Amino acid sequence: MSKQRILTGITTSGTPHLGNYVGAIRPAVEASKKTDVESFYFLADYHALIKCKNPDDVHRSTLEIAASWIALGLDTDNAVFYRQSDIPQIPELMWFLNCMAAKGLMNRAHAYKASVQENEAAGEDADFGITMGLFSYPVLMAADILMFNAHQIPVGRDQIQHVEMARDIAQRFNHHYGEHFALPQALVDDDVPLLQGLDGRKMSKSYGNTIPLFLTEKQLKKHINKIKTNLLEPGEPKDPDSSSVFQIWQAFATPQQTEAMRAEFANGIAWGEAKKQLFELVNAELAPARERYQALLNAPAEIEAILQAGGEKARAQSQPLMDDVRRAVGIRPLA
Ligand code: TRP
């Protein structure tokens, strides 16, 4: 049997933060080194256009996200690391899948439904501000996945539905035109913590409560000091499980360090002291990559070369698959 394929994409909008690091980047970097699976990681820049209409932001985010992954040690020789827009077969496949995807299925996609509901709540027309890009987002994502016959798709919970839609579309295609696509499955890691942000809500770009991944030491310290805490004084026992400080600690600490900090909370560690220790822990993990990150930002040609090489590896897979699919639907030379 051939190796299992793992594939995931990262939308290139925004600057990566600690939540992205803990939830997606760190596990993917680890997985990129495994030789018993084939892993595919890509920058979903076509997806970015759905949310972000500012060209400079899309461009900058692509650079920052690529630099982050490489700086943190993504094994770009073992894994295939590429940019979605370098694979012309992806939008091509998307059209074929569009012709198989039920509109009713897309009507049920969470992101689209949420926009419709917001419009209705605001008394607007249901389709106000909704682009075809948003509506057909799950089909583009299906093309990303099916293009490489990926089996396992590591994603956050919010993306499970999209992977199931990809599976549904693949099944319809296979049923109608014969077996062409592997059926993908979402891989959701229950051990991966959903980090809280500065205000205690989920760390997310959309709440503006993030701690960016690569800050200078001074800025990192400042952000950590801004994490919301309660008014308990030094010496008063504190509840670790409701504290963002403890939660971020846990995401970076060994189990022993976590138990030690739990005891410190029970002993009434001062918030200032807990934050100081948190800064040191996070900083120690990120400091080596921070220098590489800065160096890479100043050497975009180096990143571009890595992406070009990855694109070539990816196209070696997507080109033949697309040729088969074209033939399968009846698009082939007449003689
Ligand atoms: N939509 C995903 C997100 O916002 C990113 C993504 C695009 C993706 N294509 C993908 C993830 C394919 C997994 C597989 O997080």
Side-chain angles (χ1 to χ4, degrees):
M1 216 188 97
S2 57
K3 286 186 190 176
Q4 285 283 302
R5 283 203 173 166
I6 304 199
L7 173 145
T8 198
I10 312 97
T11 304
T12 55
S13 57
T15 295
H17 55 71
L18 291 189
N20 299 139
Y21 171 68
V22 167
I25 309 177
R26 194 171 57 186
V29 166
E30 285 314 309
S32 75
K33 297 170 185 155
K34 290 193 189 163
T35 50
D36 56 336
V37 292
E38 291 179 330
S39 29
F40 289 71
Y41 298 107
F42 68 96
L43 304 165
D45 51 353
Y46 283 163
H47 278 91
L49 301 182
I50 298 169
K51 306 190 221 174
C52 181
K53 308 289 197 255
N54 181 327
D56 290 337
D57 288 351
V58 171
H59 189 249
R60 176 74 193 174
S61 173
T62 306
L63 176 70
E64 287 181 352
I65 292 178
S68 303
W69 285 67
I70 297 167
L72 287 160
L74 187 78
D75 186 338
T76 56
D77 291 324
N78 186 46
V80 185
F81 182 56
Y82 56 101
R83 180 168 45 198
Q84 185 182 31
S85 60
D86 284 334
I87 315 300
Q89 291 79 28
I90 290 174
E92 193 178 350
L93 177 60
M94 185 190 175
W95 179 253
F96 291 65
L97 300 181
N98 259 325
C99 295
M100 274 285 140
K103 175 173 177 288
L105 184 69
M106 295 304 116
N107 287 340
R108 292 197 289 277
H110 299 314
Y112 166 70
K113 259 176 47 179
S115 297
V116 169
Q117 275 160 9
E118 270 172 42
N119 280 338
E120 282 166 352
E124 296 281 0
D125 183 87
D127 285 331
F128 178 75
I130 295 178
T131 63
M132 284 304 295
L134 176 65
F135 187 66
S136 43
Y137 168 138
V139 190
L140 179 57
M141 190 157 152
D144 293 331
I145 294 171
L146 304 183
M147 188 85 259
F148 296 100
N149 274 318
H151 308 98
Q152 312 271 2
I153 317 298
V155 283
R157 297 193 173 281
D158 59 315
Q159 298 291 325
I160 297 175
Q161 187 196 33
H162 295 146
V163 179
E164 284 169 356
M165 287 177 165
R167 190 182 173 89
D168 185 287
I169 298 169
Q171 268 165 333
R172 279 174 183 248
F173 193 99
N174 287 349
H175 181 74
H176 193 84
Y177 292 116
E179 292 295 317
H180 285 84
F181 299 118
L183 301 183
Q185 229 175 355
L187 196 67
V188 178
D189 190 343
D190 288 320
D191 297 334
V192 166
L194 245 190
L195 277 203
Q196 292 166 12
L198 297 175
D199 58 357
R201 290 189 291 174
K202 174 191 162 195
M203 190 179 289
S204 163
K205 284 179 282 210
S206 32
Y207 295 146
N209 64 355
T210 69
I211 302 178
L213 179 53
F214 290 118
L215 295 169
T216 62
E217 287 196 0
K218 221 172 128 188
Q219 289 169 325
L220 178 61
K221 209 174 272 172
K222 238 174 137 174
H223 273 77
I224 288 179
N225 282 331
K226 276 195 292 197
I227 299 173
K228 207 171 123 194
T229 55
N230 56 29
L231 296 170
L232 291 174
E233 298 286 341
E236 293 186 87
K238 299 174 175 67
D239 174 29
D241 297 310
S242 60
S243 160
S244 304
V245 174
F246 184 77
Q247 196 221 18
I248 300 172
W249 175 271
Q250 197 166 15
F252 282 82
T254 62
Q256 291 82 347
Q257 287 172 314
T258 297
E259 280 329 294
M261 185 55 87
R262 191 177 279 285
E264 297 250 32
F265 267 63
N267 288 335
I269 187 173
W271 285 120
E273 177 58 25
K275 287 179 173 179
K276 187 170 152 262
Q277 291 190 26
L278 176 62
F279 162 75
E280 273 153 22
L281 183 72
V282 172
N283 191 51
E285 183 162 328
L286 297 178
R290 182 186 291 137
E291 275 178 39
R292 285 194 295 274
Y293 177 75
Q294 287 305 334
L296 283 162
L297 285 189
N298 294 322
E302 218 173 289
I303 302 177
E304 187 59 40
I306 291 172
L307 290 175
Q308 289 302 326
E312 210 164 302
K313 280 199 272 180
R315 288 191 300 272
Q317 308 279 335
S318 59
Q319 184 72 65
L321 187 128
M322 201 58 224
D323 288 347
D324 284 347
V325 168
R326 290 172 73 89
R327 256 171 242 282
V329 301
I331 295 179
R332 51 181 179 248
L334 296 177

